[in-house]
């Protein structure tokens, strides 16, 4: 078995000279992701969730024709530098929730596109509202030989638990067994999610949901698989014959922009004991619900009940989120240690101090020990690292 770092939720900003994800940076393109961003971050596998968009699919086909990509016989697309591209599509169901369909190859993408043609308004844009429900998407995954994963599942905007239901079993019924993995989102971690009984059955993924090169790899997973291929990824998410997620590396939930509830009238992130139902200042109940508050509202346990095979969850901070670290300093560190993941996980702190300064070394050490002070986020505003 081998281990690989993977970020399985990345948005392309532009393909074929056209915008794909309106809120994504035009500089984040397929080739730059595979040949610049992924190696710089230290990722072995990247999931692009715009692959069903017509311009992105065409670009994948062009890269196959030029030899910049090759289709793996067991699914996925291998770049010439060894990075594995997992093609996926993020869609919004009738319920108003976002889900990701991971697909093994071009034929699956074409079948998915054919399904979408009469059900979306624009085949050239990502994360379209699809005229279908979650259970129909479960059935569709069999048609495209795919893997269906609810995205950022607790966020108040477009998360299944966050805006649609208190239990996936209520929504999916017998189809619940067709879901093997949940994407936790930036504002939650394993300790929070394992307060809910039914979540114990799922593999957890921590992904970046990156809309810019800067945010690629801000969350990632360590996967144990025989090789880099779609089939092995599917086995990994199912825990088949020793394949598994070995660790989740995610932003401290306090940094997430929907961690705590927020009052838009008073413009405050509420830090009262959860779950918060009304603003303590103006008493309005019209809040942007926080992920932490939502989980505390629907939880089954007072303490996390982890299944025996739940991997560790390590709180991490992107280099550029550390106080005093700008793009120039981050690039110096990446050049010295090889990648951002190497800086965060393995770099000697004394050497970090020589390259990036003693304050960064101290904060990096505090992050690794899970003792880094953070001011919480909410209402669409990210939390901030205070530093030691």
């Amino acid at each position: 078995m081998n281990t690989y770092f993977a970020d399985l939720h990345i948005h392309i900003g532009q393909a074929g000279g056209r915008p794909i994800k309106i809120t994504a940076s035009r500089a984040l393109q397929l080739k730059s992701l595979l040949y610049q961003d992924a190696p710089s971050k230290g990722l072995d596998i990247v999931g692009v969730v715009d692959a069903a968009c017509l311009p992105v699919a065409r670009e994948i086909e062009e890269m196959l024709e030029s030899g910049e990509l090759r289709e793996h016989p067991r699914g996925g697309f291998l770049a010439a530098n060894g990075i594995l591209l997992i093609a996926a599509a993020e869609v919004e169901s009738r319920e108003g929730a976002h889900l990701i369909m991971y697909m093994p190859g071009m034929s699956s993408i074409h079948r998915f596109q054919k399904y979408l043609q009469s059900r979306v308004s624009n085949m050239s844009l990502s994360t379209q509202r699809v005229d279908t429900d979650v259970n129909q998407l479960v059935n569709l995954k069999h048609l495209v030989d795919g893997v269906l994963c609810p995205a950022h599942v607790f966020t108040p905007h477009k998360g299944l638990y966050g805006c649609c239901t208190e239990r996936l079993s209520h929504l999916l019924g017998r189809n619940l067994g067709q879901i093997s993995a949940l994407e936790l989102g930036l504002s939650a971690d394993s300790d929070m999610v394992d307060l809910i009984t039914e979540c114990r059955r799922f593999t957890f993924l921590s992904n970046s949901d990156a809309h810019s090169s800067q945010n690629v790899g801000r969350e990632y997973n360590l996967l144990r698989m025989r090789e880099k291929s779609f089939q092995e990824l599917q086995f990994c998410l199912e825990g088949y014959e020793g394949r598994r997620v070995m660790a989740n590396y995610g932003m401290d939930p306090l940094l997430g922009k929907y961690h705590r509830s927020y009052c838009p009238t008073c413009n405050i992130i509420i830090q009262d004991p959860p779950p918060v139902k009304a603003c303590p200042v103006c008493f309005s109940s019209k809040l942007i619900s926080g992920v932490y508050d939502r989980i505390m509202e629907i939880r089954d346990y007072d303490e996390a009940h982890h299944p025996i095979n739940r991997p560790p969850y390590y709180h991490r901070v992107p280099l550029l989120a550390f106080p005093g670290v700008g793009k120039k300093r981050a690039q110096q560190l990446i050049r010295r240690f090889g990648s951002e993941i190497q800086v965060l996980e393995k770099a000697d702190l004394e050497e970090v101090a020589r390259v990036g300064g003693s304050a960064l070394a101290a904060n990096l050490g505090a992050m690794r020990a899970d003792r880094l002070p953070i001011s919480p986020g909410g209402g669409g505003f990210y939390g901030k690292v205070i530093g030691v």
Side-chain angles (χ1 to χ4, degrees):
M1 291 286 187
N2 302 296
T3 55
Y4 306 102
F5 285 114
D7 177 0
L8 298 171
H9 187 159
I10 299 169
H11 284 282
I12 297 300
Q14 181 174 270
R18 301 183 59 174
I20 300 303
K21 181 76 173 174
I22 300 302
T23 56
S25 167
R26 302 295 181 267
L28 181 50
Q29 300 183 34
L30 188 57
K31 289 184 183 180
S32 62
L33 170 64
L34 292 171
Y35 289 99
Q36 297 174 31
D37 301 324
S40 175
K41 296 291 182 174
L43 296 168
D44 305 295
I45 304 171
V46 291
V48 169
V49 299
D50 319 294
C53 300
L54 294 176
V56 177
R58 280 197 294 268
E59 193 160 316
I60 293 173
E61 290 176 316
E62 289 168 2
M63 292 179 71
L64 287 169
E65 291 172 2
S66 70
E68 294 168 286
L69 286 176
R70 66 178 177 87
E71 203 161 351
H72 194 288
R74 284 171 291 283
F77 301 89
L78 276 171
N81 62 353
I83 303 295
L84 179 71
L85 167 65
I86 296 294
E90 183 179 30
V91 297
E92 182 178 328
S93 70
R94 284 195 197 117
E95 295 88 351
H98 285 184
L99 298 100
I100 301 171
M101 184 75 78
Y102 296 106
M103 295 170 282
M106 284 310 308
S107 62
S108 295
I109 294 172
H110 290 152
R111 292 197 297 273
F112 193 80
Q113 288 174 325
K114 185 176 181 180
Y115 180 84
L116 292 182
Q117 281 177 351
S118 62
R119 294 175 171 87
V120 303
S121 59
N122 191 337
M123 287 287 291
S124 293
L125 292 179
S126 179
T127 324
Q128 289 280 286
R129 181 72 178 264
V130 182
D131 187 18
T132 192
D133 61 34
V134 174
N135 282 286
Q136 289 171 328
L137 287 171
V138 170
N139 293 329
L140 179 62
K141 88 181 185 73
H142 299 291
L143 176 66
V144 300
D145 301 314
V147 173
L148 186 66
C149 176
H152 42 77
V153 71
F154 286 98
T155 56
H157 301 298
K158 315 303 182 184
L160 272 175
Y161 282 115
C163 68
C164 296
T165 185
E166 292 189 357
R167 293 292 181 272
L168 297 191
S169 56
H170 298 168
L171 194 63
L172 290 166
R174 289 182 296 179
N175 278 333
L176 185 67
Q178 300 297 314
I179 304 294
S180 57
L182 296 181
E183 182 185 77
L184 302 187
L186 305 182
S187 297
D189 62 13
S190 297
D191 283 340
M192 294 166 60
V193 180
D194 274 333
L195 294 172
I196 298 171
T197 301
E198 73 175 17
C199 289
R200 288 164 48 86
R201 67 187 295 155
F202 300 114
T203 296
F204 292 165
L205 288 173
S206 45
N207 298 319
S208 70
D209 196 358
H211 289 54
S212 67
S213 295
Q214 174 179 316
N215 288 330
V216 170
R218 63 181 169 179
E219 295 205 350
Y220 47 96
N221 311 274
L222 182 63
L223 310 181
R224 184 173 187 257
M225 312 188 303
R226 291 195 185 280
E227 63 176 2
K228 287 182 284 187
S229 70
F230 179 88
Q231 183 183 74
E232 284 292 312
L233 174 63
Q234 184 171 10
F235 288 163
C236 180
L237 298 181
E238 295 170 352
Y240 178 72
E241 291 191 352
R243 289 85 158 177
R244 59 189 296 261
V245 175
M246 296 291 290
N248 300 112
Y249 297 84
M251 288 165 54
D252 189 308
L254 293 172
L255 287 171
K257 62 182 180 179
Y258 295 111
H259 182 66
R260 290 305 313 268
S261 293
Y262 172 83
C263 177
T265 303
C266 299
N267 192 29
I268 59 169
I269 297 170
I270 302 168
Q271 300 191 37
D272 287 5
V276 172
K277 296 292 188 179
C279 175
V281 177
C282 70
F283 307 109
S284 171
S285 61
K286 295 181 179 179
L287 306 178
I288 298 175
S289 177
V291 167
Y292 185 40
D293 297 271
R294 176 61 170 166
I295 289 175
M296 295 303 284
E297 177 186 9
I298 66 174
R299 64 180 174 164
D300 296 306
Y301 309 116
D302 292 330
E303 295 182 355
H305 282 48
H306 298 302
I308 196 167
N309 61 342
R310 178 71 70 217
Y313 193 107
Y314 298 109
H315 292 149
R316 291 297 180 256
V317 174
L319 270 180
L320 290 173
F322 283 103
V325 177
K327 291 184 178 179
K328 183 177 179 180
R329 182 61 53 82
Q331 286 303 315
Q332 290 173 335
L333 290 159
I334 289 170
R335 282 196 298 269
R336 171 63 185 84
F337 296 104
S339 71
E340 183 166 345
I341 288 177
Q342 287 295 313
V343 176
L344 297 177
E345 305 303 330
K346 297 182 179 180
D348 178 77
L349 294 181
E350 290 185 2
E351 185 66 18
V352 169
R354 284 192 285 271
V355 179
S358 58
L360 174 61
N363 283 325
L364 187 57
M367 180 202 72
R368 291 176 181 176
D370 208 15
R371 295 198 302 267
L372 188 64
I374 294 171
S375 174
F381 299 93
Y382 287 106
K384 293 184 178 179
V385 175
I386 299 171
V388 295

